[in-house]
Each structure stands twice: as structure tokens, then as C-alpha cells.
Amino acid sequence: MIAPLQPGSDDPRLILREEELDGGLELILLAEAALWAAVDAALESETLGLGRSHWRAAFLLRRRPGIGVQDLSKLTSLSKQAASRTLADLQKAGLVERGSGDLDGRRRPATLTPEGVAFEQRTAERLRALLARAYRTGGLDGVAGTRRILAALAGSRQGVGPARRMPT
């Protein structure tokens, strides 16, 4: 079976068969496993007893300061209860500060403390090195193509919460 092209597709010559799509899915799953193995290895050296969801929340808070439980839930597919618990754990560990909502007291934006930024950075360093090696393998065209593919997969999640912090 051939995957249908979306209206406005960039290249109408692109024909993707099930085997090619399955191969892509397999690579995405294997890449995800490699990334999480790197996160797990970094978290093992931490003394805070935090897990993947905590680092993922810290990463998103660094990139999108001010997100709250609802946005974190949408971005990660965690339930609202799990997102709330994750932020509470980070706050208890002194890695996150929670503000008060402007219009609704239940919407409490979260930001990383300096300790939270350091926690997130220690793990992200390993992932950046892994990603940089992979990008170098793909070359300049591969980086741009990969980013377009991942952005298309991320879809509307990219617009959730406050605007991403742009690199300085």
C-alpha cells in the first residue's frame, strides 16, 4: 500500500511503501531507545532519585519557561495527574519554582531554579553529543531533512504553551 500524499506535498514523486514506512518506524523506535538509554545513564549518576519524566519536564521548562501542568500534559502525553506529580517532585527537589496564575489560581506556571537548570543541562549534554554525532553522519542536508520530518511528526504540539526560548 502506498501512503497518500498530503495536499501541498513538496515532492509528488515521493512514493512510500509499507516496508519503507515500517523501516522508518523501526528506526524511530530504536533511536528513541538509544536516547532514553543515554537519559537513564545520566540519571543514574544523579542523587535526586528522579526519572525520565522529571528530566523531560525539566528540558521542556528550560525551552518553554512558564508552562504548567496542562501544557506539560499536552506536550508529553502524561496524564494531568502524572504531570502534576512530576512538577511537584521537581519542586520538592528544589529544581522548579511555581508561580501563581494571572487569571486562574489553578494555572501555576513553572520555571526552573538554577539547580534545575544544572540538573537538566547535565543530562542534555549527553543527548546533545549523541545527536551531534548522528547529525554529522547525516550531513548538512540530512540535518535539515531530519528537522522537517521530526517537526511534521510533532505537529501541533510545537505550538503548546509559551513560545520556545530561542538560542542566545
Side-chain angles (χ1 to χ4, degrees):
M1 177 181 185
I2 298 173
L5 288 172
Q6 299 297 318
S9 176
D10 291 343
D11 190 348
R13 300 168 297 165
L14 184 61
I15 298 173
L16 300 171
R17 293 182 169 64
E18 280 186 31
E19 181 56 34
E20 292 158 332
L21 294 170
D22 286 349
L25 287 172
E26 181 180 7
L27 288 172
I28 288 170
L29 293 173
L30 296 175
E32 178 189 29
L35 289 171
W36 285 126
V39 169
D40 292 342
L43 292 174
E44 283 178 15
S45 65
E46 297 286 335
T47 59
L48 300 169
L50 300 175
R52 292 176 178 182
S53 63
H54 299 100
W55 176 78
R56 187 167 50 165
F59 176 81
L60 290 168
L61 281 168
R62 183 179 60 79
R63 300 278 298 167
R64 300 168 188 243
I67 62 173
V69 169
Q70 187 171 351
D71 289 338
L72 182 60
S73 174
K74 287 178 185 175
L75 289 167
T76 61
S77 293
L78 289 171
S79 68
K80 287 180 187 171
Q81 293 82 2
S84 178
R85 213 171 20 255
T86 298
L87 287 177
D89 290 346
L90 290 170
Q91 187 174 12
K92 183 177 177 183
L95 305 177
V96 163
E97 292 174 342
R98 305 281 305 271
S100 58
D102 293 337
L103 302 174
D104 183 349
R106 295 172 297 171
R107 294 183 185 264
R108 299 179 55 212
T111 56
L112 292 175
T113 63
E115 295 82 8
V117 171
F119 162 74
E120 186 281 326
Q121 291 288 334
R122 288 190 296 270
T123 299
E125 281 178 26
R126 291 180 186 225
L127 295 177
R128 281 190 210 101
L130 189 62
L131 193 56
R133 280 193 303 273
Y135 275 163
R136 282 188 196 98
T137 300
L140 291 176
D141 293 339
V143 171
T146 299
R147 290 183 61 86
R148 285 192 303 272
I149 291 166
L150 293 175
L153 286 171
S156 64
R157 289 178 192 231
Q158 294 175 88
V160 172
R164 278 193 316 240
R165 193 178 107 205
M166 298 311 290
T168 54

